[in-house]
Amino acid sequence: MSNQERGRGRGRPINLTLTEPQKKLLQAIEAYIARHGMSPTMREMAEELGQGVANVFKLVQRLERNGYITRVPGKSRSLTVVRSVGEEPIVGLVSIPLVGTVVAGHPLLAHENVLGELLVDSATVRTGRHFALKVSGQSMINAGIGSGDVVIVKQQPLADHRDIVVALLNDEATVKRLHYRQGQISLLPENPRFKPIPVGPDDDLRIVGKVVAVRRG
């Protein structure tokens, strides 16, 4: 196993020492969840700490990278604390298949599509089957998913409105936000340069899974 594989977050090692701003944010997130029974938004945390939203987002990314919290990209109240201040890190790693360019006519997880294996924190993939998919393109950039990033996907045939999913539309794989409106299904990008993809009655749409985490490329 290489040094990069031993680390978390595309080769970055787990950092066992929290900076003071990281510690304050983690404690604030835990306190908010205890008071309200749900996680805070970035803006609420920014107001709580008297900081800018962008700075709080960077702190959240650091906490996520070092194994203190998890979150679902694109969802505003999806922060989960998996390790409190002073707790030992969760070091269990599991291997999931890494999928690259999808070969037309083959199932997404067919041998022809699998690039190899990816080690992920077992806390991220507690239940169900998962796989990793390397993203190409900038259509989901505003959801924090850029070209070259790797999304961790929980395999499931159904998803809720506004979930970010990996879908097969007429045998072409895509990462988009699922949207239901008045019986109409669309796959929405998170970049104004790209147009929504309406799903017609003659289209073959299959949900492969739901995005549960992102690793930066």
Side-chain angles (χ1 to χ4, degrees):
M1 185 186 299
S2 69
N3 290 334
Q4 282 195 337
E5 289 172 327
R6 293 180 188 277
R8 186 187 307 251
R10 304 294 286 175
R12 298 180 180 88
I14 298 171
N15 187 348
L16 302 184
T17 304
L18 289 172
T19 64
E20 195 60 32
Q22 291 168 358
K23 184 184 296 185
K24 287 182 178 179
L25 176 59
L26 182 60
Q27 291 172 332
I29 292 171
E30 290 184 291
Y32 188 99
I33 293 173
R35 289 196 308 268
H36 301 282
M38 60 182 177
S39 65
T41 64
M42 299 289 179
R43 186 169 298 281
E44 286 167 343
M45 282 296 91
E47 293 173 355
E48 175 85 11
L49 299 175
Q51 299 184 29
V53 173
N55 189 51
V56 168
F57 182 69
K58 289 180 181 178
L59 291 173
V60 165
Q61 288 181 313
R62 287 289 183 181
L63 290 173
E64 182 182 18
R65 184 178 302 139
N66 292 326
Y68 285 90
I69 64 173
T70 62
R71 66 189 179 95
V72 179
K75 285 200 170 183
S76 61
R77 296 189 186 275
S78 65
L79 296 175
T80 300
V81 176
V82 296
R83 178 158 60 108
S84 296
V85 175
E87 287 185 352
E88 290 298 315
I90 299 172
V91 295
L93 296 175
V94 296
S95 178
I96 61 175
L98 173 62
V99 179
T101 303
V102 175
V103 179
H106 292 276
L108 186 66
L109 293 175
H111 175 74
E112 291 84 351
N113 299 332
V114 176
L115 297 177
E117 300 290 320
L118 185 72
L119 290 174
V120 297
D121 187 342
S122 58
T124 303
V125 293
R126 290 190 190 96
T127 60
R129 299 181 64 186
H130 293 72
F131 67 93
L133 176 67
K134 191 164 186 177
V135 175
S136 177
Q138 300 290 337
S139 66
M140 296 298 289
I141 193 68
N142 288 347
I145 304 173
S147 188
D149 289 346
V150 173
V151 290
I152 312 301
V153 184
K154 182 178 181 180
Q155 289 182 243
Q156 56 186 65
L158 301 173
D160 294 329
H161 173 64
R162 301 293 296 169
D163 281 347
I164 296 178
V165 300
V166 173
L168 284 174
L169 182 59
N170 302 324
D171 284 332
E172 183 176 347
T174 185
V175 179
K176 294 290 184 291
R177 192 179 295 281
L178 187 65
H179 189 269
Y180 296 109
R181 185 174 183 180
Q182 298 178 347
Q184 175 65 49
I185 302 175
S186 299
L187 298 173
L188 303 184
E190 289 285 350
N191 184 334
R193 293 172 49 207
F194 293 80
K195 294 181 179 180
I197 304 172
V199 179
D202 296 327
D203 289 320
D204 180 16
L205 174 67
R206 284 171 287 163
I207 303 299
V208 179
K210 174 182 174 180
V211 174
V212 297
V214 181
R215 282 193 178 186
R216 308 300 168 199

